[in-house]
Amino acid sequence: MMAKTSQMATRRYISLYFTQLKDTKPLLKGSDLIQLGIKPGPSIRKTLADLLKARLDEQVITRQDEMEYIAKAYGVN
């Protein structure tokens, strides 16, 4: 993939993804979200996707950060 692009910035982002980010996952699991008050079902997948985005954007670092993010974003304790 990297060999097909001549843009240096694009090459760096692709390298960053494969070397550091591809295995990034939220620390909270679906069962944790249910305990926090998120209803079981498709909303769990969306919430986990939102957590992953927040983690990749460095809005959350720790498990506690993720819990606080969920509390603010979804109005749960």
Side-chain angles (χ1 to χ4, degrees), residues 12-35:
R12 278 195 300 260
Y13 287 128
I14 291 170
S15 177
L16 175 67
Y17 173 78
F18 281 109
T19 60
Q20 296 178 21
L21 301 176
K22 79 174 187 170
D23 295 323
T24 300
K25 296 178 181 155
L27 298 175
L28 295 178
K29 305 292 182 216
S31 58
D32 298 318
L33 297 177
I34 292 169
Q35 287 179 348

Side-chain angles (χ1 to χ4, degrees), residues 54-76:
R55 180 163 287 284
L56 291 172
D57 290 343
E58 298 179 344
Q59 294 176 339
V60 296
I61 306 294
T62 66
R63 182 178 171 86
Q64 184 64 36
D65 291 342
E66 288 187 0
M67 293 172 75
E68 291 171 6
Y69 177 86
I70 293 298
K72 286 180 189 174
Y74 293 91
V76 296

